[in-house]
Structure formats: structure tokens, C-alpha cells
Amino acid sequence: MTYPTVVSRPADSGERLTYRDIPTPLGDMRLVASAKGLRGAWFTDQDLLPSAEGWLLTHSDPILEQARRELDEWFASRRRGFEVPLDPVGTAFQHQVWQALCDLEFGVLASYGELARRVGRPKGAQAVGGAVGRNPVSIIIPCHRVIGADTSLTGFGGGLPRKQALLAHEGNLYRSRNARARRVCDGQAELPW
């Protein structure tokens, strides 16, 4: 499985950022790119969607086009991993967590505690949750794959209905959109409860 590498570096306030909005089966997304890679991917109705002020709207940026094409393929079940270069801005710890998310295979879920252990902070589940919640590249940095230790959905910046749909796309069934909903395990999908 190929996932892009998350490179840790600070934001450059003088850099040129381009963006475009694309349709997806779960609603429109805004893709943002620097010269080095994809800087962000948010659903356009997300609370954390940054203002596009100062960004250049374009449909000809090669990074944005690659991200659009790969997302289209992913939603069409023709792709399980991403190759678009990434350039998110965050702290060294956030980058460590985002890289650990990219290391999760398609359909594989992890709890905040498991992710904390993967990044060498076994007691840092809450800090990991904060880094996951600040992920600026939805789907490609797969924060939707992080669930509660009891398999509950927990939260998602794009909303629980989208998280449930993303998980279902990867083969993980949740029958409710409640944050406390538990994953339906293999062999239990047809049970009446």
C-alpha cells in the first residue's frame, strides 16, 4: 500500500498557495496546494475550513489535479492508497501522528491509544487526539480510521455521517451515526441487535 510521506516543516508566509473545489460523493471538498505538495483537503462545510483569502483559484495546478484524480479513483474503489505529495503545516508531533495515520492500511482501524503507542507516547492518547483533530488533509491522511478503544466512532471534523460512510467504504460497518456507535464485527452484521 502506498501512502505519501508527511514532511515536517514550518509554514512559509510568503509562499503561493493554489486551490480548487471538487465534487465528491460525500460533498464538495476544497483542495489546497503549495509548490511542494497538497497542503489541505477539507469538506467545504467543515468548521475548520480556512479562508481562501490570498490563495489563487486554479484548475491547472498539477498537484491539485493529481489529488482530484486520486480521490476520484479512491471513491470509485479503484485505489486504496495515495501518491500525491503532501505538504501539511503543523508541529513536529502533529507530523509524527499524521505519518502514523498514513501508515494505516486501507480498512485498518486504530484507537487513539494504539496510535499513541505507535508514535512512542503510550500515555498520550489525548495529545494524539488533538493532532488527529487538526489533520488538514482529510481522507488522504486517513484520520477517519481512528476510533475509540471500544470501537466507537468518536468524532470527525467532516461530521459523523461522513466518517461512517468513509469507514463503510473501507469495509467497516457502523449501524448508527452516534459518536458512541460500535463497529459491527465480522459475522455480526446480520444479528438482530
Side-chain angles (χ1 to χ4, degrees), residues 11-34:
D12 175 1
S13 61
E15 69 187 327
R16 179 178 157 263
L17 297 177
T18 58
Y19 81 100
R20 73 184 281 191
D21 292 348
I22 64 165
T24 77
L26 298 178
D28 289 348
M29 289 188 81
R30 176 159 297 156
L31 305 178
V32 180
S34 70

Side-chain angles (χ1 to χ4, degrees), residues 14-156:
E15 69 187 327
R16 179 178 157 263
L17 297 177
T18 58
Y19 81 100
R20 73 184 281 191
D21 292 348
I22 64 165
T24 77
L26 298 178
D28 289 348
M29 289 188 81
R30 176 159 297 156
L31 305 178
V32 180
S34 70
K36 296 179 180 176
L38 191 65
R39 177 66 54 88
W42 298 270
F43 289 99
T44 57
D45 61 356
Q46 276 187 250
D47 290 338
L48 296 177
L49 177 70
S51 166
E53 184 177 337
W55 299 347
L56 175 66
L57 176 63
T58 182
H59 293 281
S60 62
D61 183 279
I63 292 170
L64 297 176
E65 178 54 26
Q66 181 180 355
R68 182 210 56 80
R69 185 181 67 255
E70 289 182 10
L71 282 165
D72 284 350
E73 292 168 355
W74 188 86
F75 276 112
S77 298
R78 294 191 314 266
R79 168 180 291 278
R80 287 182 166 221
F82 295 92
E83 297 166 4
V84 63
L86 297 179
D87 188 34
V89 173
T91 67
F93 177 69
Q94 288 170 335
H95 280 270
Q96 190 179 13
V97 171
W98 298 338
Q99 185 61 58
L101 289 170
C102 287
D103 293 342
L104 292 174
E105 297 286 332
F106 181 93
V108 174
L109 306 180
S111 70
Y112 294 98
E114 289 173 80
L115 209 52
R117 287 188 290 280
R118 288 179 190 215
V119 299
R121 294 223 179 148
K123 296 183 180 185
Q126 191 170 10
V128 164
V132 169
R134 288 178 185 84
N135 171 22
V137 187
S138 290
I139 302 173
I140 295 170
I141 297 179
C143 58
H144 61 276
R145 294 183 185 146
V146 181
I147 58 172
D150 61 357
T151 76
S152 59
L153 278 175
T154 67
F156 181 64

